[in-house]
Amino acid sequence: LGQASDLDSLIPESDSIMHIDYIHKIGGDYNGRICALRDVIRQRASHTDIVGLGYSMGGRLLYSLSQCDPTLFKKSIFISSGFPLSGPKDRYKKQCFETLAQNQLSRVTPREFLHWWYTLPIYSTLKKHQDFDHLITKKTESFDPIIIKHLLGAFSSLHMPILSKKINCPSLYFAGEMDKKYQSMKQLLPKYFENAQFCSVPESSHLCHWEASPFLKHTIAKWIHPTRH
């Protein structure tokens, strides 16, 4: 769940990959979309142990899928992901940011939007990365403002049901060590998970899986297949 081109390299070579990358085509309200996603995954991976992997919004969807169907995933991996917002202040700040992002999508070019997006504070280490310009160019090639606007509205964390039960499948949570907002998730994991490990990714921020891909790949392989290492 996320941008497949960014996440494929993290999966152990021996494992098969199933992309859920057309979520913008699924209609209905938030819960209806989550149920539809659950059904698609069940159909395409029947009789198979599934490890869920989601980045940012994809991680939020992974969490909602696990709430919807606690037996869907054998294990789950979250990268820089948020969870349900219950506090009025947090919900207001999220609403303001989403309104700002929607406005930016309407008034600037895709490249300008991506440059604005990837220089937000949570991406504090990105702009100094030697491949930053290449990252922006690559993402501009497949960027569709209409789809992004739809996803920001349809799958906003403001639509997530307020926490009802903890996720019980083993979970691994990554956050870049320079991403102060998501480093705080370490203290919050017991609120959302029965069994979760937190992993801080060195010298990276919100896009830690791109900045430190070898580190995540090695850590994920050891965690998914501990007997092989």
Side-chain angles (χ1 to χ4, degrees):
L1 290 160
Q3 292 181 302
S5 59
D6 288 347
L7 300 177
D8 279 1
S9 64
L10 306 180
I11 309 300
E13 286 79 1
S14 59
D15 294 342
S16 59
I17 299 172
M18 177 177 63
H19 294 145
I20 306 298
D21 52 8
Y22 52 85
I23 58 174
H24 60 281
K25 298 179 181 178
I26 299 174
D29 62 11
Y30 185 87
N31 288 332
R33 290 184 171 101
I34 293 300
C35 290
L37 274 174
R38 186 261 330 263
D39 294 342
V40 169
I41 294 170
R42 283 287 188 198
Q43 284 180 346
R44 292 175 59 184
S46 59
H47 310 298
T48 303
D49 287 335
I50 309 169
V51 177
L53 170 62
Y55 161 68
S56 196
M57 179 186 288
R60 295 204 307 268
L61 299 183
L62 180 60
Y63 188 85
S64 291
L65 283 163
S66 296
Q67 286 265 308
C68 173
D69 186 345
T71 65
L72 184 60
F73 300 109
K74 182 182 180 182
K75 292 184 174 182
S76 294
I77 301 164
F78 299 82
I79 304 172
S80 305
S81 301
F83 300 113
L85 298 173
S86 56
K89 184 177 179 180
D90 290 334
R91 293 181 66 83
Y92 175 73
K93 289 169 65 177
K94 183 67 174 179
Q95 186 177 35
C96 290
F97 175 74
E98 289 181 353
T99 299
L100 174 62
Q102 295 276 6
N103 290 337
Q104 288 286 88
L105 282 164
S106 299
R107 72 179 190 84
V108 302
T109 67
R111 185 176 184 87
E112 288 171 334
F113 177 84
L114 287 166
H115 192 279
W116 169 77
W117 184 269
Y118 286 117
T119 53
L120 290 168
I122 58 173
Y123 298 102
S124 60
T125 57
L126 264 190
K127 194 172 183 180
K128 297 178 183 178
H129 196 285
Q130 62 181 2
D131 293 326
F132 178 73
D133 289 337
H134 177 69
L135 170 73
I136 299 299
T137 298
K138 197 71 178 172
K139 288 190 174 294
T140 301
E141 293 172 0
S142 58
F143 188 82
D144 188 329
I146 295 175
I147 290 177
I148 299 302
K149 285 186 75 171
H150 172 68
L151 290 176
L152 285 174
F155 290 103
S156 166
S157 59
L158 298 175
H159 300 320
M160 295 178 75
I162 302 301
L163 181 68
S164 57
K165 55 183 179 293
K166 295 181 181 181
I167 300 305
N168 56 21
C169 78
S171 300
L172 181 62
Y173 187 100
F174 289 99
E177 69 171 351
M178 304 304 292
D179 184 357
K180 294 181 180 179
K181 178 178 179 181
Y182 288 87
Q183 278 287 317
S184 67
M185 291 296 174
K186 183 175 183 179
Q187 285 72 44
L188 295 176
L189 290 188
K191 176 180 177 181
Y192 297 103
F193 298 91
E194 293 287 356
N195 178 12
Q197 299 176 39
F198 183 89
C199 184
S200 184
V201 184
E203 300 178 358
S204 62
S205 50
H206 197 66
L207 204 67
C208 58
H209 62 288
W210 181 80
E211 296 177 90
S213 179
F215 176 87
L216 269 77
K217 182 173 184 176
H218 177 71
T219 305
I220 288 171
K222 285 178 62 178
W223 185 73
I224 294 178
H225 304 295
T227 58
R228 297 182 188 175
H229 298 269

